[in-house]
């Protein structure tokens, strides 16, 4: 501090006054220093206080304000500092509120969310839902790249779909993801670009659609099965509409051929031609039955049988069918049990599958046929009724196999992969319909280049096999003198059936419909031993006719005839036992055998 000017001016004249002047000068100097210190302290203290206030504001002391109150420059600085503190606190409060909102929206969001760097693809942030969904802990999650969440099959697609970064860009798509436990997820992912994390980054939100997509695929499979069922129903309706008349025509053709052959000598030159016509009619009956089997409206006559007794009987035929370059191997299971199925249908299924297997092995191979009881594990694998025991017949080839696309259509009528003219597309639908008709199911395993296995799954029974020999046991003499009431609306069938029975000695009363048959029964005074009636007739059907006649003539036997019915109610109460039911088309000999069997059964019962 300098000496005050007034004091110096007073001392100037005394500068030569000796020690008195020095004394006065020293006192003045001391006074000047004291005054300088007083005023310096008064000025420095507010500055130091202001510095302390600024430091408190810098370190974030909440609610701190400067207490300096003056109108000078220091006071102005203090006021400015307080205003700055208030502004900072407001902004910090807003920032804290924004942070809370962010945490609420990000961490509390039930959908998985993650942010990742647009350049390095490193994950920058993940929420709790993502941690829970993917099974990684947070630290591990934040060490991953976005591609680490993808299934390896998606790498190429991700590389091609990756977009250059730009603000406010959004994309969406469905991706296959893998969790920490390697579980596959289908995720609908919506991604938005942003720089709010201080760098170019993407924010993604994922929606797990695995269950929904699986449900959609199951629904699509159900819809496809429904369409398949509708196709089968349409074909069944078509086949059923013509089958009855077709069977009647074939029955008439066979009957007339039998009548003609019975009148011809062995050397008759026309006999071979008639025999050939008859053979063609028999082939027509097989075709008719196949079509009905595809439509699942064939009237079958199942028996209880052991598949181990049916399959060995096909061995020679199968080896001849397969050829020399294909080995046939058969393995029969022990303690197999029995199934209920039409034996002829089972043979037809096996031949159809073997034929397909042969075509799948043009360069040779092996056909393996095996029977076994279905294990509990296989019951679950095949989705079968666990309350039921099952028997499986497996037909396996080492052929070219099938793609998934082909396998989905193999049971569709008329679907075939064979060349035109070499396949009808009815073999597998036929097998499908026959197995389903018997209460069973078919499963198929196949892979391109690894062969095919058909699993024919049928309910296992605890019954003993039906004695087929006893059922076919008919008397050697097929003649008789009994009275037969024949009711048939088709003229040709009625004529040939009447002629066939009359030639064997029976008295035959004929009627074209149910009302006529009732009128004949009322008018005929004698005994009517057996009613032979078609099931499907205009007006009164065969079942209703039989019920009324049995009331009028107790003890009268009944033999039903039919090849098809589109109304299950018509067959209610109609026994399909081989002794009381004759399936059309039939030959004159078949009719004679069945009538004789019904009459003799009546005698044995009585």
């Amino acid at each position: 501090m300098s000496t005050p000017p007034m004091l110096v001016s007073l001392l100037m004249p005394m500068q030569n006054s000796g020690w008195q002047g020095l004394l006065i000068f020293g006192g003045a100097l001391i006074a000047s220093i004291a005054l300088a210190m007083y005023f310096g302290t008064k000025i420095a203290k507010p500055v130091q206080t202001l510095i302390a206030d600024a430091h408190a504001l810098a370190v974030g002391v909440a609610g701190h304000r400067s207490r300096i109150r003056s109108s000078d420059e220091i006071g102005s600085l203090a006021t400015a500092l307080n205003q700055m503190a208030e502004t900072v606190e407001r902004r910090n409060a807003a920032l804290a509120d924004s942070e809370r909102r962010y945490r609420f929206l990000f961490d509390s969001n039930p959908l998985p969310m993650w942010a990742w760097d647009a350049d390095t693809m490193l994950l920058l942030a993940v929420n709790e839902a993502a941690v829970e969904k993917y099974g990684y802990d947070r630290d591990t999650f934040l060490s991953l790249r976005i591609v680490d969440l993808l299934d390896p099959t998606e790498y190429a697609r991700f590389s091609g779909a990756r977009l250059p970064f730009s603000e406010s860009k959004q994309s969406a798509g469905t991706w296959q993801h893998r969790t920490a436990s390697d579980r596959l997820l289908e995720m609908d992912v919506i991604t938005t670009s942003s720089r709010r994390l201080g760098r170019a980054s993407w924010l993604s939100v994922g929606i797990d659609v695995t269950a929904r997509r699986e449900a959609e695929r199951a629904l699509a499979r159900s819809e496809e099965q429904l369409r398949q069922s509708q196709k089968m129903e349409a074909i069944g309706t078509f086949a059923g509409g013509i089958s009855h008349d077709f069977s009647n025509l074939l029955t008439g053709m066979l009957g007339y051929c039998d009548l003609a052959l019975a009148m011809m000598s062995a050397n008759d030159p026309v006999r071979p031609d008639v025999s050939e016509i008859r053979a063609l009619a028999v082939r027509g009956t097989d075709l008719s039955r196949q079509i009905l089997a595809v439509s699942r409206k064939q009237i079958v006559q199942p028996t209880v049988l052991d598949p181990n007794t049916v399959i060995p009987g096909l061995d020679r035929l199968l080896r001849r069918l397969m050829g020399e370059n294909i080995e046939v191997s058969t393995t029969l299971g022990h303690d197999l049990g029995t199934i209920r199925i039409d034996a002829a249908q089972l043979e037809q299924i096996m031949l159809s599958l073997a034929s397909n297997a042969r075509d799948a092995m043009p360069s040779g191979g092996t056909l393996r046929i095996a029977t076994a009881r279905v294990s509990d594990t296989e019951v679950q694998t095949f989705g079968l009724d666990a309350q039921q025991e099952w028997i499986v017949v497996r037909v396996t080839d080492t052929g070219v196999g099938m793609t998934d696309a082909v396998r989905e259509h193999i049971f569709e009528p008329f679907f075939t992969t064979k060349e035109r003219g070499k396949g009808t597309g009815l073999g597998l639908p036929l097998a499908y319909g026959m197995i389903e008709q018997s209460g069973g199911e078919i499963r198929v395993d196949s892979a391109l280049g690894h062969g095919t296995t058909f699993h024919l799954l049928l309910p296992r029974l605890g019954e003993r096999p039906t004695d087929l020999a006893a059922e076919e046991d008919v008397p050697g003499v097929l003649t008789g003198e009994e009275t037969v009431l024949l009711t048939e609306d088709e003229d040709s069938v009625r004529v040939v059936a009447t002629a066939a029975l009359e030639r064997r000695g029976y008295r035959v009363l004929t009627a074209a419909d149910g009302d006529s048959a009732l009128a004949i029964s009322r008018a005929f005074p004698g005994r009517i031993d057996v009613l032979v009636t078609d099931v499907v007739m205009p007006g009164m059907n065969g079942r209703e006719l039989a019920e009324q006649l049995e009331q009028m003539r107790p003890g009268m036997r009944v033999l039903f005839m039919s090849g098809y019915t589109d109304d299950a109610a018509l067959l209610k109460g109609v026994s399909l036992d081989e002794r009381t039911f004759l399936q059309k088309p039939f030959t004159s000999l078949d009719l004679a055998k069945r009538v004789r069997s019904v009459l003799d059964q009546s005698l044995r019962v009585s």
Side-chain angles (χ1 to χ4, degrees):
M1 297 293 292
S2 61
T3 303
M6 184 177 291
L7 181 61
V8 173
S9 64
L10 291 174
L11 293 177
M12 286 298 292
M14 300 179 185
Q15 56 182 338
N16 295 318
S17 299
W19 66 267
Q20 292 179 346
L22 290 174
L23 182 62
I24 294 171
F25 177 79
L29 181 62
I30 292 171
S32 297
I33 292 172
L35 288 172
M37 290 181 63
Y38 170 76
F39 286 108
T41 302
K42 189 174 181 179
I43 294 172
K45 186 175 180 180
V47 173
Q48 290 175 348
T49 302
L50 188 63
I51 292 172
D53 291 337
H55 180 70
L57 177 62
V59 297
V61 176
H64 182 80
R65 297 291 185 274
S66 178
R67 297 182 179 180
I68 298 175
R69 298 290 184 269
S70 65
S71 59
D72 56 11
E73 288 82 355
I74 300 299
S76 298
L77 288 174
T79 300
L81 186 66
N82 287 340
Q83 291 174 348
M84 184 184 301
E86 291 175 358
T87 300
V88 169
E89 287 186 356
R90 284 197 303 270
R91 291 183 178 180
N92 285 343
L95 183 61
D97 183 64
S98 178
E99 175 71 12
R100 286 193 297 272
R101 291 174 183 272
Y102 160 76
R103 286 297 170 191
F104 175 76
L105 294 175
F106 190 75
D107 280 339
S108 301
N109 195 320
L111 297 176
M113 299 179 68
W114 54 90
W116 48 286
D117 191 285
D119 297 321
T120 65
M121 293 191 293
L122 286 170
L123 291 171
L124 304 175
V126 294
N127 68 350
E128 288 298 326
V131 171
E132 182 179 350
K133 175 65 69 175
Y134 287 87
Y136 297 104
D137 61 74
R138 188 175 293 274
D139 291 338
T140 302
F141 218 136
L142 294 179
S143 68
L144 301 176
R145 298 191 308 158
I146 186 63
V147 292
D148 295 328
L149 299 182
L150 296 174
D151 183 75
T153 59
E154 296 280 33
Y155 291 164
R157 185 164 76 98
F158 180 80
S159 298
R162 191 178 176 193
L163 300 173
F165 181 85
S166 64
E167 287 284 357
S168 303
K169 181 175 289 185
Q170 190 175 84
S171 64
T174 301
W175 299 87
Q176 304 279 344
H177 282 196
R178 287 282 177 181
T179 66
S181 60
D182 203 39
R183 185 165 64 93
L184 184 66
L185 300 176
E186 287 190 72
M187 301 291 291
D188 277 351
V189 180
I190 301 172
T191 301
T192 304
S193 60
S194 175
R195 291 187 181 273
R196 294 189 177 183
L197 293 178
R199 67 184 79 180
S201 58
W202 298 93
L203 176 64
S204 299
V205 180
I207 303 173
D208 186 357
V209 295
T210 307
R212 188 184 76 192
R213 292 299 173 86
E214 181 57 36
E216 289 173 353
R217 287 190 285 269
L219 178 60
R221 289 193 295 268
S222 298
E223 290 175 347
E224 182 61 27
Q225 291 173 354
L226 176 59
R227 285 192 291 270
Q228 171 70 7
S229 176
Q230 290 172 338
K231 288 180 183 178
M232 298 290 286
E233 187 66 25
I235 290 176
T237 301
F238 169 75
I242 66 172
S243 179
H244 184 259
D245 292 340
F246 189 41
S247 295
N248 285 336
L249 293 175
L250 290 173
T251 301
M253 292 171 62
L254 290 170
Y256 279 117
C257 287
D258 288 340
L259 293 177
L261 290 172
M263 298 175 61
M264 294 178 183
S265 64
N267 299 325
D268 194 308
V270 182
R271 188 177 185 89
D273 296 334
V274 177
S275 298
E276 186 63 25
I277 294 172
R278 188 181 188 281
L280 293 173
V282 170
R283 289 178 59 187
T285 65
D286 294 337
L287 177 61
S288 174
R289 288 170 181 169
Q290 286 183 11
I291 294 175
L292 288 176
V294 171
S295 67
R296 294 172 292 176
K297 293 188 176 182
Q298 180 186 17
I299 297 175
V300 296
Q301 295 172 292
T303 57
V304 178
L305 55 85
D306 182 352
N308 284 351
T309 64
V310 176
I311 292 174
L314 295 172
D315 187 72
R316 173 180 289 184
L317 183 57
L318 287 175
R319 293 180 187 277
R320 185 178 301 171
L321 175 67
M322 303 308 290
E324 296 181 355
N325 64 337
I326 297 178
E327 179 185 353
V328 179
S329 171
T330 302
T331 304
L332 303 179
H334 299 290
D335 189 26
L336 197 62
T338 57
I339 57 177
R340 184 181 298 277
I341 192 172
D342 189 304
Q345 284 193 343
L346 179 58
E347 292 175 351
Q348 189 172 353
I349 293 169
M350 298 300 296
L351 292 174
S352 178
L353 295 179
S355 176
N356 284 341
R358 177 199 61 198
D359 294 339
M361 298 184 287
S363 300
T366 302
L367 176 70
R368 297 184 180 90
I369 300 174
T371 61
R373 294 177 63 174
V374 180
S375 66
D376 294 340
T377 301
E378 289 178 315
V379 167
Q380 295 180 354
T381 301
F382 291 134
L384 303 174
D385 182 2
Q387 304 300 318
Q388 170 71 54
E389 292 185 337
W390 296 82
I391 290 175
V392 60
V393 179
R394 293 188 177 91
V395 181
T396 304
D397 66 66
T398 58
V400 296
M402 293 179 283
T403 64
D404 292 342
V406 170
R407 190 171 67 248
E408 290 176 359
H409 298 283
I410 58 175
F411 295 118
E412 292 182 7
F414 308 117
F415 175 82
T416 180
T417 58
K418 299 178 183 178
E419 298 178 11
R420 186 177 181 87
K422 293 189 176 181
T424 62
L426 291 178
L428 291 178
L430 171 64
Y432 181 91
M434 289 177 176
I435 291 295
E436 189 178 66
Q437 225 174 10
S438 301
E441 298 186 30
I442 292 185
R443 298 288 187 273
V444 184
D445 296 328
S446 185
L448 202 60
H450 293 83
T452 300
T453 298
F454 283 88
H455 307 269
L456 310 181
L457 303 156
L458 292 157
R460 181 178 184 269
L461 306 178
E463 305 176 28
R464 295 178 58 83
T466 302
D467 188 354
L468 299 177
E471 295 217 3
E472 292 295 329
D473 182 23
V474 294
V477 179
L478 299 178
T479 59
E481 298 180 352
E482 291 88 350
T483 300
V484 179
L485 175 55
L486 176 65
T487 307
E488 169 62 56
D489 61 302
E490 179 63 34
D491 294 340
S492 60
V493 177
R494 190 171 62 252
V495 170
V496 297
T498 299
L501 293 174
E502 286 180 343
R503 290 192 178 195
R504 296 183 183 275
Y506 296 100
R507 174 186 291 179
V508 182
L509 307 174
T510 61
D513 53 50
D515 292 334
S516 299
L518 290 176
I520 291 172
S521 176
R522 294 189 188 98
F524 185 71
R527 173 186 174 88
I528 297 178
D529 299 283
V530 60
L531 167 68
V532 180
T533 179
D534 192 9
V535 175
V536 181
M537 295 185 296
M540 184 185 302
N541 62 57
R543 177 181 56 81
E544 295 170 339
L545 172 63
E547 291 173 351
Q548 294 193 34
L549 285 178
E550 285 176 335
Q551 293 179 0
M552 296 170 57
R553 295 178 175 270
M556 181 189 68
R557 309 304 295 173
V558 179
L559 173 62
F560 292 103
M561 305 179 296
S562 188
Y564 164 83
T565 175
D566 60 356
D567 186 354
L570 294 176
L571 285 177
K572 185 178 180 181
V574 175
S575 172
L576 300 184
D577 181 83
E578 289 192 4
R579 295 187 184 278
T580 58
F581 185 85
L582 180 59
Q583 186 170 346
K584 292 180 179 180
F586 55 80
T587 65
S588 299
L589 182 61
D590 292 334
L591 175 63
K593 286 181 178 179
R594 200 56 53 84
V595 169
R596 188 69 265 166
S597 175
V598 169
L599 290 171
D600 290 347
Q601 176 70 13
S602 174
L603 293 174
R604 287 195 290 270
V605 171
S606 60

